[in-house]
Amino acid sequence: MKKNIFLSIFSGLLLWLAWPPMHYTTFLLFFGLVPMLIAMENVIQSQHEKKGKKIFSVTFIGFFIWNVLSIYWVYNSLKTIGAVVAVPITLIPYALGPLLMSSACWLYYRFRVTTNRTFSLFALVCFWIGYEYLHQTWDLNFPWMTLGNGLAVSHQWVQWYEYTGVYGGTIWIWILNIVLFLLYSGLSEAQIKTTRIKLITAFAIVLVIPITFSLYRYATYTEQFDPSNVVVAQPNIDPYAKNGEIPVAQQIDILTHLSDSIGQPNTEFFIWPETAIPDMIDEEHIRGNNYFLQVQRFLNKFKNGNVVTGAETYTIYNNRATSTASPIEGGRFVDNFSTAINIENSAKVQFYHKSKLVPGAESLPFGNALSFLKPAFEHLGGATGSYAGQTTPSVFYSQSGIGVTPVICYESIWGEWVAQSVKQGSQFIAIITNDGWWENTSGKDQHLDYAKLRAIETRRWVCRSANTGISAFINQRGDIVKQTKWWFKTAIKQDINLNSDLTFYVKYGDYLPKAGSFLAIIGLLFLGTRVRFKKKVA
C-alpha cells in the first residue's frame, strides 16, 4: 500500500512540475500519469479487499497534491477573513477537483471488474472528460485544472487547438500516458515483441505528429493585415482600496491619464480592467451618470474611440422579471451585475453581464443550501454579493463596425463561451480582470497563460487589461507580444490585426467533451445494468 501511495504522490508532483507557469517542464505531462496508472494496476492485481475504495483513496492523494500545489494561491484570496478560518473554506476548491478525478478512476476500476483492460482504459478517458466537462458546467464550476490547460506555456505545441480546444489536449495527454503505461506493464507480463513494437510506434506517432503539425502551423501561420490601434490601461489600484478609500472619480482620472498618455488620433479601443468603475450604476439612467460623462469627456479627442471598461451595475424591475432578482423596498426587485460597458462618442451604450460567475464569490451554488458559507465566500475575489448574469455571450460593436468579445476575468478559461461570441462577429477579444486578490503568486501567471489558448482556438488577438497586472497583447498564434510588469501603473498600446475567419473550434465548440460525456453516461448505464443483473442472479 505504501508503494502505491508513493507512486500516487510521485504523479501529483510530476503534474505540478509540468503545470503553468512552469517553463521547460511541460513534457512531464506526457508521462506524469503513468505512476498513477501503475498504482491502480497494483491494487487491481493485489489480494486486497475493497479494491475500489483503495483506488479512490490512493489516487485522491496524488490528485490533491497536484491541485493544492498548482492553485495554492486560492488561499490568498480568503485569508483576509482570518488565517485559520480560511483553511477549511479553501479546502473546497482544493479537494473538489481531486474528488471528481478519483471518481473517474474508481469508475475505471468498476469497468475492469466486468471488461478487459483496453476497453476500461478507453472508458477511463471518457469518464475523465466527463468530469472535466461537468466541472465547467455545474454550480461549483472550476475548470482551472482541465488537463489540456497544462499545455498553455508550450503553446507552440498545440496550435491544433483551433480544431479541438483544450479538451483535445486532455485526450492527447491521456493517450500518451496510457501507451507508456501499457509498455511498462508489458515488462512484467511477458509482452510479445510485436505488441511492444506496436506500442512504441503508437507512442511515437501520437507524440510526433501533433507536435510536428503544430510547429509547422505556428511557423507558417500568417495574420491577415487589418490593423486597429488598441490601448490597454493598468491603473494598479489596490483591490482592497477600490471601494471607499480612493474616490471613484479619482480612479477614472488615473485611467484617463494613462490612456491619454499613449493614445493616438486613430486609437479605436481603450481597454480598462474589471470594476474600473467600482460604484454601482443604474443601467437605465447611465447616460446621466457623472462617471459615464467623465469617460465620454475623455473620448472627445478620439473621434472613433471606444472605452471597454469594467463596472458594477444594476437594473431595477417593478416585478420579479428574472429568477435572480432580489426584492428591495417599495415592492420592487433588483439584479446586480459585474459588467463590461462599451462607451463611445454617442448616446449608444452597450452592456455585457459577466455570466461565468465565481462560485461563492459572485454566485451562491445550489441556492440556499450553502447560504451559511456566504460571509466567508464574499472575500474570494472581493465580491460583495451575488450577481446575475446572462445566458448568451455578447459582442460589442464600435461605430466603425469592429466587433470585440468582452470577457470578464474568470470567463477567460471557458473556450466555448468565448468562441460563441467570436462566432457572432467578434474580431478580437478583450479580457478585463482584477488579479490582485491573489497577490504576487502563480495564479496571475496561469490566468495570463490560459489567455493564449483562447487566441489559438479563435485565431483572434487578445487584449488583456488587468487592474494590478499582468496586462498584455497576445497575437493570433498565442504569442505574448507585449506585457506589463506586476503591480505597476502603466498603459501599453499595439496595432493588432482584426480577423473575421472562423476556426473549426469556433464553428463547433466543445464537441469533444460533449461526445466524451455522452459515452461516459453510456458507461454509467452499462455499470448500473451489470449491478442490477448480478443482484437478480444472486
Side-chain angles (χ1 to χ4, degrees):
M1 186 65 178
K2 290 182 179 179
K3 177 184 177 182
N4 296 328
I5 292 175
F6 172 78
L7 287 168
S8 180
I9 293 172
F10 187 41
S11 254
L13 292 174
L14 287 174
L15 293 171
W16 164 60
L17 289 172
W19 206 252
M22 302 284 194
H23 288 272
Y24 313 115
T25 55
T26 304
F27 69 93
L28 296 176
L29 290 172
F30 300 150
F31 56 86
L33 288 161
V34 173
M36 190 81 74
L37 288 166
I38 294 171
M40 289 194 288
E41 188 67 18
N42 289 341
V43 174
I44 291 170
Q45 299 300 332
S46 71
Q47 301 301 316
H48 291 303
E49 296 181 355
K50 299 181 179 179
K51 295 179 181 179
K53 182 179 179 180
K54 284 184 170 57
I55 284 176
F56 184 92
S57 58
V58 166
T59 57
F60 176 83
I61 293 171
F63 291 138
F64 184 77
I65 288 172
W66 168 35
N67 276 255
V68 170
L69 292 178
S70 298
I71 58 170
Y72 67 93
W73 44 265
V74 172
Y75 174 79
N76 289 41
S77 305
L78 281 166
K79 65 183 182 181
T80 54
I81 65 174
V84 177
V85 176
V87 173
I89 304 299
T90 308
L91 286 175
I92 296 175
Y94 287 169
L96 186 55
L99 283 171
L100 294 172
M101 296 171 185
S102 295
S103 296
C105 294
W106 178 81
L107 289 169
Y108 160 70
Y109 164 72
R110 298 309 307 170
F111 253 77
R112 281 291 297 274
V113 171
T114 57
T115 63
N116 60 47
R117 183 165 64 185
T118 301
F119 189 70
S120 299
L121 288 169
F122 174 78
L124 171 59
V125 177
C126 292
F127 287 133
W128 187 278
I129 286 287
Y131 127 69
E132 288 190 342
Y133 193 58
L134 170 68
H135 213 26
Q136 78 162 31
T137 53
W138 68 336
D139 277 10
L140 289 172
N141 58 69
F142 190 68
W144 201 274
M145 298 301 292
T146 296
L147 199 52
N149 286 338
L151 297 161
V153 169
S154 301
H155 65 280
Q156 298 89 345
W157 297 356
V158 290
Q159 295 294 305
W160 41 270
Y161 273 15
E162 66 178 311
Y163 298 100
T164 68
V166 296
Y167 291 99
T170 294
I171 295 171
W172 187 40
I173 291 168
W174 264 113
I175 291 174
L176 290 171
N177 277 270
I178 286 172
V179 173
L180 286 178
F181 162 69
L182 293 174
L183 274 169
Y184 174 85
S185 298
L187 298 177
S188 60
E189 296 175 358
Q191 191 178 74
I192 61 175
K193 185 177 180 180
T194 55
T195 300
R196 190 176 303 113
I197 292 173
K198 287 179 180 178
L199 288 172
I200 293 172
T201 303
F203 181 82
I205 290 173
V206 174
L207 176 64
V208 172
I209 289 181
I211 290 181
T212 301
F213 171 81
S214 186
L215 293 176
Y216 174 79
R217 180 66 168 152
Y218 178 81
T220 59
Y221 182 83
T222 304
E223 297 183 4
Q224 297 178 11
F225 184 72
D226 189 4
S228 178
N229 185 261
V230 179
V231 168
V232 164
Q234 180 172 296
N236 198 46
I237 298 171
D238 189 323
Y240 293 102
K242 285 185 68 65
N243 291 288
E245 291 186 30
I246 303 176
V248 177
Q250 183 179 336
Q251 295 184 43
I252 296 175
D253 279 339
I254 293 171
L255 285 158
T256 56
H257 175 74
L258 289 170
S259 301
D260 191 40
S261 67
I262 60 171
Q264 50 195 60
N266 67 334
T267 299
E268 295 185 270
F269 284 93
F270 297 90
I271 314 297
W272 294 355
E274 180 185 18
T275 64
I277 306 175
D279 198 26
M280 296 300 292
I281 298 174
D282 183 349
E283 292 188 1
E284 187 176 350
H285 301 102
I286 189 172
R287 291 167 185 82
N289 183 277
N290 289 332
Y291 307 131
F292 171 82
L293 295 173
Q294 186 179 356
V295 177
Q296 278 209 319
R297 285 193 294 272
F298 156 71
L299 284 173
N300 284 338
K301 63 188 298 185
F302 301 98
K303 182 179 179 181
N304 294 318
N306 297 261
V307 170
V308 176
T309 180
E312 294 190 60
T313 66
Y314 65 91
T315 298
I316 294 177
Y317 316 106
N318 291 323
N319 52 53
R320 193 183 290 274
T322 67
S323 60
T324 54
S326 301
I328 58 175
E329 293 181 2
R332 297 186 297 172
F333 296 82
V334 65
D335 266 331
N336 297 316
F337 307 102
S338 177
T339 306
I341 307 175
N342 188 77
I343 302 172
E344 59 183 47
N345 280 309
S346 74
K348 183 180 179 182
V349 189
Q350 299 171 71
F351 298 96
Y352 166 70
H353 301 136
K354 183 178 182 181
S355 302
K356 302 301 180 182
L357 302 170
V358 181
E362 297 170 330
S363 66
L364 193 62
F366 309 115
N368 295 322
L370 297 179
S371 58
F372 66 97
L373 294 176
K374 187 173 181 178
F377 274 144
E378 286 175 352
H379 288 264
L380 181 56
T384 56
S386 296
Y387 289 113
Q390 59 186 65
T391 57
T392 57
S394 296
V395 180
F396 288 161
Y397 288 99
S398 69
Q399 296 178 74
S400 59
I402 298 173
V404 53
T405 293
V407 180
I408 304 176
C409 191
Y410 190 51
E411 295 182 317
S412 64
I413 54 176
W414 268 265
E416 186 178 54
W417 184 260
V418 175
Q420 286 174 358
S421 175
V422 170
K423 193 175 182 180
Q424 293 174 23
S426 170
Q427 294 162 289
F428 77 95
I429 299 165
I431 296 177
I432 59 176
T433 186
N434 187 3
D435 296 344
W437 313 109
W438 312 337
E439 301 178 358
N440 191 13
T441 64
S442 62
K444 71 182 192 312
D445 302 300
Q446 290 169 356
H447 204 193
L448 173 64
D449 285 331
Y450 293 169
K452 297 191 292 184
L453 304 180
R454 305 292 84 80
I456 296 169
E457 290 167 346
T458 63
R459 295 302 180 188
R460 297 294 189 272
W461 274 75
V462 173
C463 306
R464 188 176 194 269
S465 173
N467 172 41
T468 49
I470 302 170
S471 301
F473 288 102
I474 303 171
N475 68 17
Q476 295 172 23
R477 298 190 307 177
D479 302 320
I480 298 177
V481 175
K482 192 177 293 183
Q483 71 179 74
T484 65
K485 296 178 181 178
W486 162 257
W487 209 265
F488 189 75
K489 184 187 297 183
T490 189
I492 52 177
K493 66 180 176 181
Q494 178 72 34
D495 285 330
I496 70 171
N497 281 319
L498 306 174
N499 186 18
S500 297
D501 294 337
L502 302 183
T503 65
F504 186 90
Y505 180 72
V506 168
K507 291 178 181 177
Y508 300 103
D510 285 336
Y511 63 93
L512 283 177
K514 291 173 183 176
S517 298
F518 174 76
L519 292 175
I521 292 172
I522 297 297
L524 290 172
L525 293 174
F526 170 77
L527 289 174
T529 302
R530 296 283 298 191
V531 170
R532 291 187 64 183
F533 177 76
K534 285 184 178 181
K535 286 182 178 180
K536 286 183 178 179
V537 172

